[in-house]
Amino acid sequence: MNTSFDLVIIGSGPGGYVCAIRAAQLGLKTALVEKAKLGGTCLNVGCIPSKALLDSSEHFYTATKHFSEHGIDLASAPVVNLKQMISRKQKVVDQTVDGVKFLMDKNKVEVVYGLGSFESANVVKVTAEDGSTRMLEAKNIVIATGSEPGNLPFIKLDGERVITSTEALELKEVPKNLIVIGGGVIGLELGSVYARLGSEVQVIEFADRIIPGMDGSMSKELTKSLKKIGVQFYTSHQVQSVERKAKAKTVQVKAKDSKGQELSFEGDYCLVSVGRKPFTSGLALEKAGLKTDDKGRIAVNEHLQTEQAHIYAIGDVVRGAMLAHKAEEEGILVAEYMAGQKPHIDYNLIPNVVYTWPEVAGVGQTEEQLKASGRAYKAGSFPIRALGRARASMDIDGLVKVLADAQTDEVLGVHIISARAADMIAEAVVAMEFRASAEDISRISHAHPTYMEAVKEAALDATGKRALHM
Ligand code: FAD
């Protein structure tokens, strides 16, 4: 049994396991410590299971609402089999987790199951479920312990009726009335799942719009689209109380609007999706001379080093967007930095995606950020409904917006709400990585008929209002 490693990583989410692969590729003897299942939040209770349910529920919704228009008549109305839907989701998760185990074996990364905690700045103690312990000596250590669901101080989560995203991925019935607290990514994705399956969904959001971090026009369009599937929105509402009577099947939520008027909501389930918080409990950071900041994060420099230069921290447990692909990039960066390379991440070019339908995706600066910074910019946009491809598939909601520097024409931000926006945003990321101008994008041939044509048209619109099909 090995006791000494070049690198010990604590946490096997997308940050930790990708870091392990890259470190192994670079010849570092690596151990990966995990207290639960390989793959972390993302694979087990985050990205993958939520997308599995989003896809299943979208199929159901399409079959119910659009098949007949496509000329497909079903002998009887489709019925939701939630048990099967959840079990298919679990199969997808299990296969993906097995895939990570395969990758660890292939790259000769030693996986050590148990809770990792610091014994000292160079020793990680791993306590297995049966209480046995193992000491791992490490030249370098990466903390990749991720995050857990956040909550409001006055809400008592009971895991049955007042739930987080984790339980929402495992429900045994389709809620009749689902109250969602928080109109961010997770609330809207899981709210969409159940709205499509027939729940009446009410979203309460403190800010004056949903997905407040994204470009304002995206939030406006998404509100319109989600209203079409029956989701009701209460923005600028501050939740005051969430109460479930003992053993009762109803939850009462009280919220105040911006004028102080109180509204009362009643549902059989309440999903609390008010963000996530960094997870560091059990790590015994103090034994390594480390501490967390006022937001519970581990402070790091531009190389993701903590106060102890050989201890790094990555992913949801440090500053920045809580996204799987951001955690992965950071995992790669620290492995390469340790190996003597000079890697770099441009955080401005980490795309943000919401997997509702239509999907929303953005990269770079929003129009609100450009206005606030005083930078002179020009904007071009193009409606998805003007595309032949969109009409053929009947997914006509949405738009593409391209923001470019007023003088140089360099693309500063691209924001898309459309079917397949999550994939479409890659063109914008590549263009911006190469510091393309809006005109560069507008001169690239885009296959016809595709949704991607909207990116070219929006770029044409940004360069002198030259869109062709508008
Ligand atoms: P995590 O994935 O949280 O992994 C941390 C791991 O560390 C866990 O396995 C945990 O058990 C382990 N661990 C913690 N402490 C210890 C310890 N002391 N010892 C041993 N092991 C420990 N992001 C996207 O980019 N796209 C999406 O579509 C998306 N969808 C999401 C949907 C939902 C419902 C949720 C909740 C999140 C979603 N996210 C999505 C966010 C994404 O899951 C996280 O940003 C990502 O998982 C962070 O990766 P990480 O490696 O930092 O940590």
Side-chain angles (χ1 to χ4, degrees), residues 183 204-214 216 219-220 223 233-238 258 368:
I204 308 172
E205 166 58 51
F206 177 68
D208 60 358
R209 61 185 179 92
I210 57 168
I211 47 168
M214 295 185 86
S219 133
K220 216 154 122 193
T223 303
F233 292 100
Y234 298 87
T235 51
S236 302
H237 276 70
Q238 187 172 20
S258 50
E368 291 75 19

Side-chain angles (χ1 to χ4, degrees), residues 60 77-83 85 174 196-198:
F60 172 75
V79 175
V80 177
N81 178 346
L82 189 63
K83 195 171 167 210
M85 216 176 260
V174 175
R196 293 166 188 168
L197 299 182

Side-chain angles (χ1 to χ4, degrees), residues 10-16 33-37 40-42 45-47 50-51 114-116 144-147 165 186 276 279 283 314-316 322-325 327 355:
I10 310 175
S12 73
V33 180
E34 175 54 59
K35 68 177 172 59
K37 287 192 181 162
T41 304
C42 176
V45 291
C47 328
S50 58
K51 266 78 258 179
L115 179 82
T145 49
S147 61
S165 58
I186 294 174
R276 293 181 62 82
F279 183 81
L283 272 178
I314 60 172
D316 282 8
M322 286 187 169
L323 290 168
H325 44 285
Y355 293 83

Side-chain angles (χ1 to χ4, degrees), residues 246-279:
K247 299 236 176 343
K249 288 190 176 167
T250 52
V251 183
Q252 193 179 49
V253 176
K254 289 192 174 155
K256 270 192 183 151
D257 69 13
S258 50
K259 294 185 190 105
Q261 202 146 0
E262 194 170 87
L263 240 76
S264 182
F265 302 81
E266 202 163 276
D268 46 353
Y269 288 87
C270 173
L271 167 64
V272 181
S273 48
V274 292
R276 293 181 62 82
K277 53 178 190 196
F279 183 81

Side-chain angles (χ1 to χ4, degrees), residues 197-426:
L197 299 182
S199 302
E200 187 178 292
V201 176
Q202 295 171 305
V203 176
I204 308 172
E205 166 58 51
F206 177 68
D208 60 358
R209 61 185 179 92
I210 57 168
I211 47 168
M214 295 185 86
D215 191 273
S217 50
M218 300 294 112
S219 133
K220 216 154 122 193
E221 287 297 311
L222 185 61
T223 303
K224 279 197 252 167
S225 291
L226 293 182
K227 276 186 177 170
K228 287 189 197 166
I229 64 165
V231 179
Q232 297 163 44
F233 292 100
Y234 298 87
T235 51
S236 302
H237 276 70
Q238 187 172 20
V239 171
Q240 306 290 308
S241 65
V242 175
E243 205 183 326
R244 179 190 173 190
K245 304 264 180 323
K247 299 236 176 343
K249 288 190 176 167
T250 52
V251 183
Q252 193 179 49
V253 176
K254 289 192 174 155
K256 270 192 183 151
D257 69 13
S258 50
K259 294 185 190 105
Q261 202 146 0
E262 194 170 87
L263 240 76
S264 182
F265 302 81
E266 202 163 276
D268 46 353
Y269 288 87
C270 173
L271 167 64
V272 181
S273 48
V274 292
R276 293 181 62 82
K277 53 178 190 196
F279 183 81
T280 52
S281 65
L283 272 178
L285 288 172
E286 65 289 352
K287 290 194 184 169
L290 299 175
K291 53 185 182 315
T292 54
D293 67 13
D294 56 343
K295 293 196 169 97
R297 303 173 300 198
I298 297 176
V300 285
N301 67 13
E302 75 271 29
H303 306 301
L304 296 154
Q305 288 166 305
T306 64
E307 284 165 84
Q308 305 279 359
H310 69 291
I311 303 179
Y312 300 75
I314 60 172
D316 282 8
V317 81
V318 301
R319 82 284 182 269
M322 286 187 169
L323 290 168
H325 44 285
K326 176 256 192 189
E328 288 187 25
E329 294 307 328
E330 292 184 335
I332 293 165
L333 182 140
V334 295
E336 293 182 347
Y337 186 75
M338 270 172 224
Q341 299 186 2
K342 292 192 169 57
H344 169 74
I345 296 172
D346 184 346
Y347 285 95
N348 184 44
L349 297 187
I350 304 262
N352 245 321
V353 179
V354 189
Y355 293 83
T356 45
W357 202 255
E359 294 171 339
V360 187
V363 64
Q365 304 283 297
T366 63
E367 200 159 352
E368 291 75 19
Q369 284 169 331
L370 289 174
K371 276 188 184 138
S373 70
R375 184 151 182 186
Y377 69 94
K378 50 195 180 171
S381 66
F382 191 80
I384 296 297
R385 66 181 56 246
L387 296 171
R389 188 73 192 88
R391 284 194 299 277
S393 71
M394 284 174 46
D395 281 315
I396 55 170
D397 283 357
L399 62 91
V400 174
K401 185 197 262 189
V402 171
L403 302 167
D405 186 273
Q407 270 80 48
T408 65
D409 196 36
E410 180 178 352
V411 178
L412 303 175
V414 176
H415 307 280
I416 305 175
I417 173 163
S418 168
R420 306 172 200 186
D423 297 297
M424 291 166 73
I425 200 66

